[in-house]
Amino acid sequence: MTRIYIFSSPVDAMKIVDWLSRAGGITATEITAIVAPAEESPPTPLAGIPVLSAGQAYRTLCPEDLVMVANNHFDQTVAQLFSHGILHVFDGRAALTRGELRHRFIGLAKPYYIGPNYPSLLNNRDHAFLRDTAEPLNANAIPGHKLFIVNSLPKSGTLWMMAMLEKLLGIKAHRQLVLAHVMDIETDSNKPNTHGAVMLVRDLRDVVISWFHDLARHDMRNGFAEPRYANITEFYFNYLVGLLSASPRYAFGRLDQWLNLAACNGYPIIRYEDLLADPPGSLRKIMTFWKIRVPDKDITEVSHSLAFNNMPLTLAGQEGYVAEAVRSGHLRRGAVGAWKTELPAAVEDDINQRFSAYQQRLQYD
């Protein structure tokens, strides 16, 4: 059963309830509770909605619940929710802002704007500017509400990077460290608590090899009598080309547009091949872009203990998303240039033509 909690002052909570009703047909009877600051908690329900203190709310909240936050302690509240494993969190301040006449008008009329200066409230670069001008952070003292995005083309070292960043920054995957793919960055960039993102890329010819073997393993693990695609050629032409070309998540196959979006937002692009050759150098680059102070000895230690071939041993016995994925066999060889001996010529030729902009941009031609 879906439960909805609103963390805000009673006055703002009622504005949000009204907005939910008008915009989504969600009635007051469907709101589980309003969670108000102690000094603002009325003794009786509001519009029939129970009013709880934060302590009462945390005793009843569970990970499946939906939470909207719009109080005066936004960052602290989000950090506390994350620490309790409550991750379905929404920025209620945006709902309150939409209620203002100026925002409602501009939201409706923006396609027809002819003035010289685009209204700043509609400028997606605002978030990038705030990230660029924010104060530097210290590793292992990361505020609990901050998000860090590891965005990748699948099979480009995503889990490996997440393992190193978890240890280096002292944060947890699937709480503050987010796994995402390609155009997910459009949504993630607009979250006000996204502190930084890194884009992981890889030679698409090697991606095809790794993805083929991973899907075959996945098929056998999930009860198929045999892998659905018997060979790399069949996998590539009958599955992967369609997946990349038809999916908005993969920019409808225009992977170079994803790279443009990363550059526009000032995110570092890390080639898997460079990461494998020089893990400390790649981590230093990311920390520079993210404005995070990390002792160089920590980067060296993390790079050694979580070197690609050391990961299974280092993570043995540990809990969490990354460790469990590694134990499940998600990691394979991690080799560079496997395509030279495994990739059929027809597939190589098609990649060089169909995805030429991506391959050439990253100097894989």
Side-chain angles (χ1 to χ4, degrees):
M1 177 181 175
T2 299
R3 301 190 303 175
I4 300 172
Y5 290 77
I6 301 173
F7 279 66
S8 78
S9 69
V11 171
D12 285 342
M14 295 316 298
K15 292 180 182 178
I16 291 172
V17 170
D18 179 61
W19 173 73
L20 290 172
S21 176
R22 286 184 289 105
I26 298 171
T27 66
T29 59
E30 295 175 293
I31 308 298
T32 304
I34 293 168
V35 184
E39 65 276 10
E40 299 185 45
S41 297
T44 57
L46 293 171
I49 305 171
V51 180
L52 306 179
S53 67
Q56 291 172 319
Y58 284 116
R59 286 194 290 273
T60 62
L61 278 164
C62 62
E64 293 76 23
D65 292 335
L66 308 177
V67 178
M68 185 163 278
V69 180
N71 58 24
N72 292 329
H73 308 286
F74 183 84
D75 292 349
Q76 298 94 316
T77 301
V78 173
Q80 193 167 19
L81 287 165
F82 285 178
S83 71
H84 281 80
I86 311 301
L87 307 180
H88 298 158
V89 180
F90 299 81
D91 187 351
R93 300 172 305 176
L96 294 173
T97 301
R98 287 194 191 94
E100 295 179 3
L101 176 61
R102 180 168 180 261
H103 287 75
R104 283 187 281 127
F105 176 85
I106 294 176
L108 183 66
K110 64 182 178 181
Y112 312 107
Y113 183 74
I114 58 174
N117 300 310
Y118 200 58
S120 61
L121 65 125
L122 298 176
N123 187 355
N124 290 337
R125 286 288 299 162
D126 285 353
H127 292 306
F129 173 78
L130 292 174
R131 285 192 292 269
D132 290 346
T133 57
E135 290 295 316
L137 299 178
N138 293 314
N140 289 303
I142 303 296
H145 68 289
K146 295 288 189 181
L147 295 182
F148 299 85
I149 315 300
V150 179
N151 182 290
S152 69
L153 187 63
K155 317 314 301 176
S156 298
T158 317
L159 276 179
W160 181 25
M161 177 59 74
M162 292 184 77
M164 290 192 288
L165 290 175
E166 266 196 324
K167 187 169 184 180
L168 193 62
L169 300 181
I171 58 178
K172 289 294 183 182
H174 275 203
R175 287 199 179 180
Q176 290 182 260
L177 190 60
V178 180
L179 184 156
H181 292 311
V182 190
M183 298 306 287
D184 294 344
I185 198 61
E186 286 188 303
T187 300
D188 290 329
S189 290
N190 288 318
K191 294 175 182 176
N193 55 328
T194 293
H195 183 84
V198 58
M199 326 304 278
L200 300 181
V201 300
R202 188 180 187 184
D203 189 328
L204 196 54
R205 294 167 294 190
D206 274 334
V207 167
V208 169
I209 299 296
S210 183
W211 205 329
F212 165 73
H213 288 291
D214 187 63
L215 184 61
R217 177 183 62 84
H218 181 276
D219 283 354
M220 298 308 295
R221 197 172 175 186
N222 284 283
F224 289 91
E226 57 186 27
R228 286 171 287 175
Y229 303 99
N231 53 59
I232 293 171
T233 300
E234 187 179 339
F235 160 78
Y236 177 77
F237 286 107
N238 295 346
Y239 174 70
L240 191 59
V241 167
L243 174 66
L244 298 182
S245 301
S247 171
R249 189 182 200 189
Y250 295 107
F252 299 104
R254 291 294 308 276
L255 298 176
D256 57 307
Q257 297 301 318
W258 167 48
L259 302 179
N260 290 338
L261 190 59
C264 174
N265 281 282
Y267 296 137
I269 297 174
I270 304 292
R271 299 192 339 155
Y272 174 80
E273 296 78 7
D274 298 333
L275 177 62
L276 194 64
D278 182 16
S282 295
L283 290 175
R284 289 188 194 100
K285 180 177 180 178
I286 296 167
M287 295 301 102
T288 297
F289 271 76
W290 289 359
K291 296 176 72 173
I292 297 179
R293 301 186 183 100
V294 187
D296 202 62
K297 63 180 180 59
D298 291 354
I299 291 178
T300 301
E301 191 278 326
V302 166
S303 299
H304 174 73
S305 65
L306 288 168
F308 190 88
N309 292 330
N310 292 344
M311 279 182 61
L313 180 62
T314 301
L315 297 177
Q318 295 187 23
E319 299 299 324
Y321 171 78
V322 175
E324 290 169 9
V326 170
R327 279 195 294 275
S328 74
H330 192 84
L331 294 183
R332 201 172 149 266
R333 291 165 50 197
V336 170
W339 66 268
K340 295 176 182 178
T341 56
E342 293 188 58
L343 196 68
V347 175
E348 180 187 353
D349 291 343
D350 192 81
I351 290 172
N352 291 337
Q353 294 180 42
R354 190 186 304 271
F355 301 104
S356 60
Y358 170 86
Q359 290 289 97
Q360 291 171 15
R361 173 81 165 269
L362 296 169
Q363 302 176 47
Y364 290 133
D365 54 332

